[in-house]
Amino acid sequence: GAVVSQHPSRVICKSGTSVKIECRSLDFQATTMFWYRQFPKQSLMLMATSNEGSKATYEQGVEKDKFLINHASLTLSTLTVTSAHPEDSSFYICSARARGGTGELFFGEGSRLTVL
Amino acid sequence: AQKITQTQPGMFVQEKEAVTLDCTYDTSDPSYGLFWYKQPSSGEMIFLIYQGSYDQQNATEGRYSLNFQKARKSANLVISASQLGDSAMYFCAMREGQGGYNKLIFGAGTRLAVHP
């Protein structure tokens, strides 16, 4: 199956700093990538849809200035959590859909962010 | 309105037995797709099975089968011959419409514990 790689898998940072998470589709081109956030023991909540070469589409309630998404190429999308605070601590998962197929999403391994 | 409902927060099953995880959905779009994903404690999302709204037969993938009842808007996952490694969170998800931009919306999940 298609492979999506996410980096870093774990990151700990101080409050007020910015953190960048990368999501790469390794063996396919992904015109659309999705960023999800998952709190402990909860479901995945869609944050934004990232389209290559255009601005991301954010879900209601997600601060676009707080969570900067850049989809610079067909294989790379980045999520930057700006001025992180402890409440931003969460599990962030990216996913990508290959062209054609059933619409199945291939997920990265996830990134666990802890803000001290 | 909640689009994907998983009413079982937790389930347990004896090893080698079959188990059914419930999922109901709500959509007015005639074209949609239903997915099941498994999330072990490590966090990665593992695709299990897909059912398209126009598929005439229930989807099957090895030990996984999807009991698709369109009129009832249910898409229950059946795991046969449960194994200890099946212990994980299971998420039902729906994509409305066609096309690469359509996002997946996830249910709250069901935690399955397989007992020896």
Side-chain angles (χ1 to χ4, degrees), chain B residues 8-109:
Chain B
Q8 307 154 314
M11 289 280 288
F12 69 89
V13 64
Q14 208 73 23
E15 194 178 9
K16 300 181 184 177
E17 298 290 313
V19 63
T20 298
L21 306 184
D22 295 342
C23 174
T24 58
Y25 60 92
D26 182 31
T27 181
S28 57
D29 195 323
S31 177
Y32 53 90
L34 297 159
F35 302 78
W36 277 92
Y37 284 85
K38 172 185 178 181
Q39 187 181 41
S41 57
S42 55
E44 77 266 32
M45 297 289 285
I46 302 169
F47 167 74
L48 296 178
I49 198 167
Y50 165 81
Q51 181 84 44
S53 59
Y54 295 119
D55 293 344
Q56 295 296 314
Q57 294 186 329
N58 287 347
T60 60
E61 288 287 346
R63 293 187 298 112
Y64 304 108
S65 61
L66 201 151
N67 184 0
F68 181 45
Q69 298 191 34
K70 197 169 183 177
R72 294 185 179 183
K73 293 188 175 179
S74 74
N76 299 340
L77 175 71
V78 180
I79 305 175
S80 63
S82 297
Q83 302 172 357
L84 295 179
D86 293 335
S87 295
M89 280 291 289
Y90 288 81
F91 292 99
C92 180
M94 179 177 69
R95 169 186 53 78
E96 290 176 305
Q98 300 290 340
Y101 297 104
N102 299 98
K103 54 198 176 188
L104 280 191
I105 303 300
F106 286 83

Side-chain angles (χ1 to χ4, degrees), chain A residues 46-68:
Chain A
L46 180 66
M47 299 175 66
T49 302
S50 169
N51 302 305
E52 188 266 337
S54 64
K55 292 183 179 180
T57 302
Y58 290 81
E59 294 298 301
Q60 191 173 7
V62 178
E63 300 175 60
K64 58 182 67 176
D65 295 331
K66 174 75 170 175
F67 300 100
L68 299 179

